[in-house]
Amino acid sequence: MKFILALVLGLLLGGAGAYFLFVGAPRAHLPKGEPVRAPDAGGPPPGTAVVELDEQFFNTLLSYIFKDLGNPSLPPQGGGGCQNRVVIEPNSGDVRTAVVLRDNQVSVPLAFSGTYNLMNCQNLRGTAEAGIDFRFSPEEQTLYGQLNVVGVNVEGMSPLLGGVVTAFVQGAINQRVNPIVLMRGQQLTLNVPVQATGGTLHAQARDVRSEVKDGKLRLYVTYDFKGTKGAQ
């Protein structure tokens, strides 16, 4: 029994040591802004605009990224030899990289490939399951997305390396992608010249709420308004 416990402990510590040796300690990315909450039951307050997006919009966007920009690579492609890298693929087997709006959640199934250098070059292929949480920073006038990988399946990987490689894939996506800037600055603020008054009406986003309903993501953006004379 002592031998078995020592062997298991050695594998765990060895795997963790190898991970930090070859990948490095995870970089801490503190989430920006405050979590976006659900809309109030009584309805949105006055001065609220509603932005509605469906799965088709997100998945069309993804298709053009793959088509026109190429497969996203974490870290970006470059250098030579076998590098620790995760590449997001359009699909792998029955899994397609997409955005799914269901059960009041934004889910992101991901297909990936890549390479991992541990004693020798390991070719990776598999799938991951992630979710997106939203955060809003009024000071920066920025809506952020926080991608959280909650599960990884690596095809044909040895059980001795599975835990290390899974941690690497999860860290590569979580640590290098976040935070995702979804809307910022001019996409949120409003400046409307009113020529008949010789002034401009300004609007800054004060609060953002979100909900997933009927297969659509709805963002409720509440504004503070202020008029300025002579600032057209």
Side-chain angles (χ1 to χ4, degrees):
M1 180 63 71
K2 290 182 180 179
F3 174 76
I4 295 175
L5 291 175
L7 178 60
V8 172
L9 183 59
L11 288 174
L12 291 175
L13 292 177
Y19 177 78
F20 287 113
L21 176 62
F22 288 95
V23 182
R27 295 180 300 170
H29 284 288
L30 296 177
K32 294 188 176 183
E34 297 297 326
V36 170
R37 295 172 292 168
D40 291 334
T48 298
V50 181
V51 180
E52 188 174 273
L53 305 169
D54 60 12
E55 289 182 2
Q56 184 176 5
F57 169 81
F58 287 108
N59 294 325
T60 300
L61 182 150
L62 284 172
S63 70
Y64 277 94
I65 289 176
F66 288 122
K67 176 185 173 183
D68 295 341
L69 302 180
N71 297 359
S73 176
L74 311 166
Q77 296 281 2
C82 181
Q83 296 191 8
N84 298 336
R85 177 177 289 122
V86 174
V87 180
I88 306 301
E89 301 284 351
N91 54 69
S92 178
D94 296 333
V95 176
R96 181 171 69 98
T97 296
V99 173
V100 179
L101 304 175
R102 193 176 300 154
D103 300 326
N104 205 29
Q105 293 181 335
V106 182
S107 300
V108 186
L110 295 168
F112 68 86
S113 63
T115 52
Y116 185 68
N117 193 353
L118 179 60
M119 295 178 287
N120 54 48
C121 193
Q122 305 285 334
N123 291 316
L124 309 178
R125 180 165 291 275
T127 60
E129 185 65 34
I132 294 183
D133 296 324
F134 300 106
R135 304 180 71 91
F136 175 61
S137 172
E139 297 80 10
E140 300 178 12
Q141 287 291 284
T142 301
L143 177 66
Y144 292 101
Q146 188 78 17
L147 186 72
N148 301 304
V149 176
V150 295
V152 176
N153 177 41
V154 184
E155 299 175 5
M157 184 57 58
S158 165
L160 292 177
L161 299 178
V164 178
V165 173
T166 295
F168 158 66
V169 172
Q170 190 171 22
I173 298 174
N174 282 348
Q175 299 295 328
R176 295 183 182 273
V177 168
N178 292 317
I180 305 168
V181 176
L182 299 176
M183 301 176 73
R184 174 169 58 189
Q186 292 181 348
Q187 297 168 316
L188 281 174
T189 57
L190 301 174
N191 293 288
V192 183
V194 184
Q195 294 184 357
T197 66
T200 300
L201 182 65
H202 306 281
Q204 277 200 322
R206 167 168 48 90
D207 185 36
V208 177
R209 305 290 180 97
S210 71
E211 68 175 352
V212 175
K213 191 174 182 180
D214 302 326
K216 297 177 181 179
L217 169 66
R218 294 188 180 94
L219 299 173
Y220 298 84
V221 185
T222 302
Y223 287 94
D224 285 331
F225 294 91
K226 182 180 179 181
T228 304
K229 296 287 283 185
Q232 295 192 45

